[in-house]
Each structure stands twice: as C-alpha cells, then as structure tokens.
Amino acid sequence: MKIFYQILSIATLVAVLVGCCNCRAVQKNHKPLTGTEWQLVQLGEETIQPVEGKYTIQFIEEENRFAGVGECNHLTATYTTNAKQELKLEQAGMTRMMCPNQEAEDRFVEMLNKVTRYDMDGNMLMLFAGDELLSVFQAK
C-alpha cells in the first residue's frame, strides 16, 4: 500500500508540473509575426473596436513585404527586423482615397511610421517606439 501512495504522489507531482508549464500555453497560442493577419485593437491609449476589413496589417516573409489596410486605404511597404525584435517599416505606397474617418486613418499611418520594435504575447502583437507602446494588434 505504501508503494501505491508513493507512485500516486509522483504521478500527481508530474501532472501538476506538466499542466503548469507556461511554455506549453505560449507555444499553443503563439502566432508567428509573418503570415498572420493582425487586427488593430488599441491605438495609443484608445481601445479600438475591430471592424472587418479595416485597420489590419500583415508581414509577408517573401521579400520582407508589409501590407495593411487603414480606414479605407491600402498600404504596402518593406520591413526589416532582427533577433532583438527591432522593426522598421519603409513605406513604399498607399492609395489616397478620402475616408469617412480620415483623422483616424492618419493617426494609424503616423503610428506605423514611428515603429522601432515589436513584442508578442500569445496572439497579441505590440508595436513600440522605443519604450512607448504605440498600438496593440490581435491575431485574426
């Protein structure tokens, strides 16, 4: 009977350790920077209600291309990044339609031009200028 309780104690300890491992949860929920469509959910300190087809970005690994959509205009650029999670967008082009909420789109584009680094937490992408949080995106 004593051996049974020892085995049960060891099995319980192993189950608790495996179940609490943060690395399992991060690997399960972590989205890659490239190939994921990111939806804006926070711009500066303002919470943004996601709207299908607006305020999205995507990093495309081939040729380090970046694509995005603001309020109504499409953006294309190239980007550079490194192991330190530094990020620089080189804006190459943007459609120039007048949007119903042009001020919001202008703030979105200005924010993208300021980005110097990124960080990720599960399915969230955070863009920074130095230590200042500029925006938060959620994986779609």
Side-chain angles (χ1 to χ4, degrees), residues 6-20:
Q6 287 176 338
I7 292 173
L8 181 62
S9 296
I10 291 171
T12 303
L13 179 62
V14 168
V16 167
L17 290 175
V18 170
C20 292

Side-chain angles (χ1 to χ4, degrees), residues 89-108:
L89 300 175
E90 302 290 339
Q91 190 158 340
M94 180 174 167
T95 58
R96 298 303 291 166
M97 297 184 293
M98 283 302 289
C99 302
N101 191 353
Q102 189 64 46
E103 181 181 308
E105 181 168 273
D106 291 344
R107 286 188 306 137
F108 178 69

Side-chain angles (χ1 to χ4, degrees), residues 86-137:
E86 295 172 329
L87 176 64
K88 177 69 177 158
L89 300 175
E90 302 290 339
Q91 190 158 340
M94 180 174 167
T95 58
R96 298 303 291 166
M97 297 184 293
M98 283 302 289
C99 302
N101 191 353
Q102 189 64 46
E103 181 181 308
E105 181 168 273
D106 291 344
R107 286 188 306 137
F108 178 69
V109 173
E110 288 171 20
M111 175 275 299
L112 292 173
N113 289 328
K114 293 179 184 177
V115 172
T116 60
R117 70 179 184 89
Y118 72 96
D119 199 0
M120 299 175 77
D121 185 7
N123 67 343
M124 304 304 276
L125 169 67
M126 293 150 290
L127 300 181
F128 294 86
D131 290 332
E132 177 189 0
L133 177 64
L134 298 175
S135 60
V136 179
F137 291 82

Side-chain angles (χ1 to χ4, degrees), residues 18-139:
V18 170
C20 292
C21 177
N22 285 338
C23 59
R24 292 175 56 102
V26 170
Q27 288 176 349
K28 182 178 178 184
N29 296 324
H30 180 73
K31 298 291 184 179
L33 177 66
T34 59
T36 302
E37 186 175 10
W38 300 99
Q39 176 74 55
L40 182 68
V41 294
Q42 181 178 331
L43 183 58
E45 295 181 7
E46 179 185 353
T47 300
I48 306 295
Q49 183 64 38
V51 176
E52 185 65 33
K54 294 184 179 191
Y55 299 107
T56 63
I57 60 173
Q58 187 170 15
F59 297 89
I60 304 157
E61 197 166 0
E62 298 82 33
E63 301 176 15
N64 287 352
R65 289 186 307 117
F66 167 85
V69 178
E71 176 74 20
C72 66
N73 287 294
H74 292 261
L75 310 133
T76 60
T78 58
Y79 70 92
T80 55
T81 189
N82 60 27
K84 295 179 184 179
Q85 295 183 309
E86 295 172 329
L87 176 64
K88 177 69 177 158
L89 300 175
E90 302 290 339
Q91 190 158 340
M94 180 174 167
T95 58
R96 298 303 291 166
M97 297 184 293
M98 283 302 289
C99 302
N101 191 353
Q102 189 64 46
E103 181 181 308
E105 181 168 273
D106 291 344
R107 286 188 306 137
F108 178 69
V109 173
E110 288 171 20
M111 175 275 299
L112 292 173
N113 289 328
K114 293 179 184 177
V115 172
T116 60
R117 70 179 184 89
Y118 72 96
D119 199 0
M120 299 175 77
D121 185 7
N123 67 343
M124 304 304 276
L125 169 67
M126 293 150 290
L127 300 181
F128 294 86
D131 290 332
E132 177 189 0
L133 177 64
L134 298 175
S135 60
V136 179
F137 291 82
Q138 184 172 5

